[in-house]
Amino acid sequence: VQLQASGGGLVQAGGSLRLSCAASGTIFSINAMNWYRQVPGKERELVAARTSGGATNYAHYVKGRFTIFSGYAENTVYLQMNSLKPEDTAVYYCNLQIRRVFGGKMRDYWGQGTQVTVSS
């Protein structure tokens, strides 16, 4: 299984970006879809999470501005980021918990990271 993240870039404060993360390979089911972010010198932190049932959860500092969703394309998760702030600048990583075959173990897979830079 490989995850391909895209959609990062440079945007002015107040702008929007949509990140995508597409999973390819042998996939039986996806249990959870998550977006994390990391800035240099700090630990990776969970930004948004979505269960297979559609329940979502957000870090308090992005609630109301970011939306995690899937459905446009198979095995793809998105992060819509609105009203971006300079403090949102980070490398964003997607994380999917995937079961590759029926009865197999659920494993974590990570995308390669995509840089989001918000200028003031």
Side-chain angles (χ1 to χ4, degrees):
V1 174
Q2 289 187 329
L3 304 188
Q4 181 66 46
S6 61
L10 174 64
V11 64
Q12 288 188 333
S16 298
L17 284 174
R18 178 178 292 180
L19 306 183
S20 301
C21 177
S24 60
T26 301
I27 297 172
F28 176 76
S29 64
I30 299 175
N31 183 57
M33 298 174 161
N34 306 305
W35 285 97
Y36 288 74
R37 71 186 188 188
Q38 188 172 25
V39 297
K42 292 191 176 182
E43 292 189 355
R44 193 172 295 185
E45 56 188 16
L46 180 63
V47 174
R50 186 182 188 280
T51 69
S52 58
T56 57
N57 197 21
Y58 299 92
H60 67 89
Y61 43 79
V62 305
K63 197 171 292 186
R65 299 189 297 122
F66 290 11
T67 303
I68 184 171
F69 65 98
S70 64
Y72 286 162
E74 188 177 9
N75 297 332
T76 301
V77 61
Y78 305 89
L79 185 67
Q80 178 67 42
M81 305 185 294
N82 299 329
S83 302
L84 282 161
K85 304 175 181 180
E87 51 264 43
D88 294 320
T89 296
V91 178
Y92 285 72
Y93 297 89
C94 56
N95 161 245
L96 273 62
Q97 297 173 0
I98 294 173
R99 180 175 284 115
R100 295 191 63 193
V101 296
F102 176 76
K105 291 183 179 181
M106 194 73 69
R107 296 186 187 276
D108 274 320
Y109 293 87
W110 291 87
Q112 81 281 14
T114 184
Q115 176 70 46
V116 172
T117 303
V118 185
S119 62
S120 57

